[in-house]
Amino acid sequence: MTSTAASPTSELPSTGDTRRQADIRNRDLPALAIELKGLRKTYAGKGSERKEALKGIDLEIPRGSIFGLLGPNGAGKSTTINILAGLVNKSEGLVRIFGIDIDKHPRRARRAIGIVPQELNLDAFFSPRQALELQAGLYGVPKSRRRTGEILEAVGLADKADAYARSLSGGMRRRLLVAKALVHNPPVIVLDEPTAGVDVELRRSLWRHMRTLNERGVTVVLTTHYLEEAEAMCDTIAIIDQGELVACDSTPKLLRRLDEKSLTLTFLEPLADVPPALVERGARLIDGGRLEVSYHPSRAKVGDFLEAVRAEGLVIVDLQTEEADLEELFVRLTGNH
């Protein structure tokens, strides 16, 4: 097959390519890494009882993004991922992976995506090298194009290449899952809670590697309960709740929805009470004689408040600002599940 959609992995840049080269080589590829239209999934229950896990999800994940798919337990994240992986049949809707319809071309669609599952589902008696070679064979990767050693080096398992998987630590096993998802060089990687229960160093190592892949043109989709991790890593975030999409936008725009900041001032001489002019502006006294005020950046200028403080003859020695984070937005949108 010669069409781009038929062989998405053949267009990906090699390890040594720069971002500019990746852009040139990928210019004719689909703009969307994943496209969901009207995606529904209903599970049969006892008797006539049915559970609707996905209620018509419309979602577009841009090619080359680091995309966060967030939601509380039972929101529908795992169902969505399992549909993408071909493990669960959807009830209704359209799903395309790198432009490939999963109904019309299921095998090609699966070749375009690598899934890193949450569960550590490894054969205890296979070494990492054997596991990757087997995985490559299942995807039909010719031996001449396999990158087993390179991938093991990238995920920090080169020195454990021939050890039994049962002898690996939990963190190493998770690295091996990432390695298995990369053997067929997919243009889309989906990580389902990849850092759950792992140490800080492994988490940092994993994200360094994911950023490297992303710089080479790979789209990274992440689900995580570590919201600070999603806020730091993802350029775009979608939040689903009870099977419905409740938010989807760039990370900065999502955070601006809250439109809340607080300002804390420390003075040369601690305050005993708040001047009336500052009380009118919402200022309040907190521990240590400091002053705190909450405001909406879209409607109030912090400079005006600082001028009012100076007009009272107060000398500021320290100033701190704090703004609402992704966790706050998540709680508000999902009803504090």
Side-chain angles (χ1 to χ4, degrees):
M1 299 180 185
T2 58
S3 67
T4 299
S7 304
T9 58
S10 65
E11 297 295 331
L12 279 180
S14 60
T15 306
D17 286 329
T18 63
R19 166 77 77 168
R20 182 182 62 82
Q21 291 171 321
D23 288 342
I24 292 172
R25 295 179 64 173
N26 286 335
R27 63 172 57 159
D28 296 324
L29 297 182
L32 298 178
I34 295 174
E35 181 181 11
L36 311 178
K37 287 186 177 180
L39 181 60
R40 294 181 178 274
K41 176 59 184 179
T42 303
Y43 291 101
K46 296 179 179 179
S48 60
E49 183 182 344
R50 298 167 69 83
K51 174 177 173 54
E52 196 172 17
L54 297 176
K55 304 173 182 178
I57 297 288
D58 293 324
L59 185 63
E60 295 182 345
I61 299 179
R63 189 188 80 225
S65 63
I66 300 182
F67 192 96
L69 183 62
L70 310 181
N73 291 332
K77 303 187 304 296
S78 295
T79 297
T80 302
I81 290 172
N82 287 334
I83 289 172
L84 293 173
L87 300 176
V88 169
N89 294 324
K90 59 186 175 62
S91 300
E92 294 179 29
L94 172 72
V95 177
R96 291 195 185 105
I97 301 173
F98 228 64
I100 305 168
D101 190 311
I102 67 168
D103 291 326
K104 296 178 180 177
H105 306 288
R107 293 181 66 184
R108 280 167 47 192
R110 283 195 289 271
R111 282 184 59 83
I113 193 168
I115 305 287
V116 182
Q118 186 174 352
E119 299 80 14
L120 295 173
N121 53 353
L122 296 169
D123 191 313
F125 295 97
F126 274 61
S127 68
R129 189 189 309 278
Q130 290 170 328
L132 265 59
E133 285 293 313
L134 175 61
Q135 188 83 347
L138 292 174
Y139 276 97
V141 181
K143 288 190 175 182
S144 61
R145 294 182 57 190
R146 295 180 187 177
R147 303 175 298 119
T148 299
E150 176 189 336
I151 294 172
L152 289 174
E153 180 71 33
V155 299
L157 289 177
D159 60 337
K160 299 290 184 179
D162 298 306
Y164 283 132
R166 64 182 179 181
S167 70
L168 302 179
S169 67
M172 290 179 180
R173 293 181 188 185
R174 195 160 294 281
R175 294 186 205 185
L176 182 52
L177 289 179
V178 174
K180 287 180 64 177
L182 298 175
V183 296
H184 57 296
N185 199 28
V188 183
I189 294 289
V190 178
L191 302 108
D192 188 8
E193 299 289 346
T195 57
V198 303
D199 59 56
V200 173
E201 182 53 39
L202 173 56
R203 188 177 301 176
R204 290 176 178 172
S205 174
L206 174 62
W207 291 130
R208 281 195 298 268
H209 186 54
M210 287 302 114
R211 286 195 183 279
T212 298
L213 287 176
N214 183 248
E215 288 169 1
R216 291 169 47 200
V218 175
T219 303
V220 179
V221 181
L222 160 72
T223 77
T224 180
H225 281 95
Y226 297 112
L227 298 183
E228 71 281 2
E229 185 173 76
E231 185 174 340
M233 282 293 301
C234 301
D235 47 60
T236 308
I237 289 174
I239 299 175
I240 59 176
D241 184 36
Q242 299 183 34
E244 298 180 314
L245 186 68
V246 296
C248 183
D249 213 330
S250 69
T251 305
K253 286 184 178 179
L254 276 180
L255 294 176
R256 283 201 294 271
R257 284 192 187 188
L258 290 170
D259 193 29
E260 293 177 4
K261 278 191 173 184
S262 67
L263 175 69
T264 302
L265 302 176
T266 303
F267 301 103
L268 183 62
E269 296 183 6
L271 295 182
D273 50 41
V274 182
L278 300 183
V279 172
E280 292 176 2
R281 292 176 175 268
R284 56 191 174 277
L285 201 64
I286 60 174
D287 60 290
R290 296 182 297 161
L291 207 61
E292 183 180 70
V293 63
S294 298
Y295 64 100
H296 302 286
S298 65
R299 303 198 297 271
K301 295 180 180 179
V302 68
D304 292 342
F305 181 76
L306 293 176
E307 285 298 327
V309 170
R310 293 189 185 97
E312 295 294 328
L314 301 174
V315 180
I316 302 171
V317 294
D318 188 39
L319 179 153
Q320 294 176 307
T321 62
E322 185 176 329
E323 57 187 345
D325 57 13
L326 183 61
E327 182 174 355
E328 177 66 24
L329 178 64
F330 182 87
V331 169
R332 294 191 188 187
L333 290 174
T334 61
N336 196 19
H337 290 298

